Amino acid sequence: MTGPDDVDLPADWEDGDSPEPGRRRGRRLALIGLGLVAVVVIGAGVVIGSYMKSLSDSYQKRDVVSITRGPSDGERPEHVDGTGRNFLLLGSDKRSEEDAASEGVSGERSDVMMLVHVSDDDQDVHVVSFPRDLYVEIPGHGRDRINAALAFGGVGLAVSTVENYTGVPIDHVALIDFDGIEGLVDTLGGVDVDVPVDFEADGHQFTEGTQSMDGEQALTFVRQRKQFADGDFQRNRNQQAVLQGIADKLISADTLTDPRKLRDTIDAVSPYLTTDDGLSSTAMVELGLSLRSVRSGDLYFLSVPHAGPETTSGGASVVATDEESMDELRDALRSDDMGTYYAQNAGTF
């Protein structure tokens, strides 16, 4: 039996049947690794028969961009066989024209930036967060906050900036507007999120511990940073907590084996989704199938190493880089040895 574009499915998935509970749980958990955007889309890879076409049609609602490097971007890092795959996940928060003009940029910055590294044997997934104010070189624009790359040159420049900084090629990229996060959470009927401390924001009260959130609450939660002593770094952890809550709800609700629920979820998020032109529905199906043996214990969240805050010559507050520590992460990504890197640095994330 085949899916859209004749993607072969495992022989044990008979039309009209669901995998046995143990295998089904493992396959659902495998989908978490690509993060907030991809966990929704990859679901097309585990639904069978006549549902595949409708799910593929829903996915086609997304925007598609071609990723190319400009003259000032430099040489793209080489892709070496046997060193895994890398995906860039971006969450953008579009702002008003007035706010954007005051900062001299377009109205969209990548306030969520995660590099997802899938090991070459498809057994481990590492999700690496970037502080939005990390002060790096943006091709053609000098040093600036890393989240400004999207504003200066769109998805293509964001990809080039991350490739240059990490020293590894990005295989695919997906960007979601924050409004899509709100719709996704509501479609799932809300999610449970671990809140680090009591705080209030935009009329919502967040209480330390596990809290159930609807889409509006979750969106408010992932945007906050001024309420925390370590600001942007806690916000990165909060974003990961919402991601984990979404993944848990997908598992507990059997969303990925409920065709109607999955179709509704993809319908809700696709209009807010932008991917590179190579991340087709066929590619997503194949990717989902390749990760079906991953378990929850094979998913790891971490952040890029960095130094403390500093002030630029222009008076902007930014996060300084730590090049010596970053070189260790670069080596781990290039050599597909993220397991060793994570074990040696787990206490620093």
Side-chain angles (χ1 to χ4, degrees):
M1 181 178 60
T2 58
D5 301 317
D6 295 330
V7 175
D8 292 331
L9 299 176
D12 60 334
W13 291 2
E14 297 296 336
D15 195 15
D17 292 338
S18 297
E20 294 176 6
R23 296 201 305 273
R24 184 176 65 233
R25 174 176 171 81
R27 283 160 187 163
R28 286 194 232 114
L29 289 170
L31 306 182
I32 301 171
L34 291 186
L36 179 60
V37 176
V39 75
V40 179
V41 182
I42 294 177
V46 295
V47 178
I48 57 178
S50 62
Y51 300 114
M52 297 290 281
K53 179 64 166 60
S54 63
L55 293 171
S56 178
D57 289 344
S58 294
Y59 181 53
Q60 301 309 322
K61 296 178 182 179
R62 77 198 192 286
D63 288 330
V64 178
V65 295
S66 295
I67 304 302
T68 59
R69 293 179 71 89
S72 62
D73 292 352
E75 292 294 326
R76 184 173 188 252
E78 293 185 4
H79 202 304
V80 180
D81 290 340
T83 54
R85 293 169 290 172
N86 300 297
F87 303 81
L88 182 62
L89 304 180
L90 305 171
S92 74
D93 196 2
K94 293 182 179 179
R95 294 164 296 161
S96 68
E97 293 183 6
E98 181 180 351
D99 289 344
S102 69
E103 299 182 28
V105 297
S106 69
E108 188 173 23
R109 288 194 179 196
S110 50
D111 284 347
V112 176
M113 180 177 284
M114 297 179 178
L115 175 66
V116 179
H117 178 81
V118 179
S119 62
D120 187 59
D121 61 5
D122 295 324
Q123 298 301 305
D124 299 293
V125 178
H126 289 80
V127 183
V128 186
S129 292
F130 294 77
R132 74 169 195 170
D133 292 337
L134 190 67
Y135 200 52
V136 303
E137 188 72 24
I138 298 178
H141 298 273
R143 290 174 63 81
D144 208 321
R145 297 182 179 97
I146 196 168
N147 74 329
L150 183 66
F152 289 142
V155 174
L157 185 58
V159 170
S160 296
T161 299
V162 173
E163 286 184 332
N164 290 355
Y165 185 62
T166 62
V168 295
I170 301 299
D171 296 279
H172 294 293
V173 60
L175 178 147
I176 187 171
D177 187 298
F178 275 11
D179 288 339
I181 296 175
E182 182 173 354
L184 170 58
V185 172
D186 284 338
T187 300
L188 292 172
V191 297
D192 292 333
V193 180
D194 288 333
V195 178
V197 296
D198 295 350
F199 69 97
E200 188 276 336
D202 297 338
H204 297 291
Q205 181 63 46
F206 298 97
T207 304
E208 182 178 0
T210 302
Q211 180 173 338
S212 180
M213 299 183 189
D214 62 19
E216 183 180 357
Q217 291 171 313
L219 181 55
T220 299
F221 182 72
V222 300
R223 282 174 164 162
Q224 306 313 309
R225 63 172 181 161
K226 294 183 179 179
Q227 292 87 343
F228 312 114
D230 54 353
D232 195 44
F233 310 120
Q234 181 58 51
R235 182 168 67 168
N236 282 351
R237 292 189 286 270
N238 290 348
Q239 291 163 354
Q240 292 175 343
V242 169
L243 168 58
Q244 189 64 59
I246 290 171
D248 289 343
K249 189 61 177 285
L250 283 166
I251 293 169
S252 64
D254 269 348
T255 302
L256 296 181
T257 53
D258 181 339
R260 290 191 186 88
K261 189 71 172 180
L262 181 56
R263 185 185 59 237
D264 290 346
T265 302
I266 295 177
D267 273 336
V269 73
S270 290
Y272 304 97
L273 182 66
T274 300
T275 76
D276 65 275
D277 49 12
L279 201 56
S280 64
S281 58
T282 299
M284 294 304 289
V285 169
E286 293 172 343
L287 181 58
L289 295 177
S290 73
L291 296 176
R292 65 183 179 273
S293 65
V294 174
R295 301 296 186 266
S296 58
D298 305 319
L299 175 66
Y300 306 91
F301 288 100
L302 58 154
S303 60
V304 297
H306 55 78
E310 66 179 16
T311 303
T312 69
S313 58
S317 177
V318 298
V319 174
T321 59
D322 180 346
E323 288 300 315
E324 182 176 351
S325 297
M326 188 62 198
D327 279 341
E328 296 180 16
L329 176 58
R330 292 177 180 124
D331 289 342
L333 288 168
R334 292 190 193 109
S335 61
D336 194 29
D337 194 20
M338 287 295 292
T340 300
Y341 175 84
Y342 186 88
Q344 294 175 343
N345 295 277
T348 66
F349 305 136

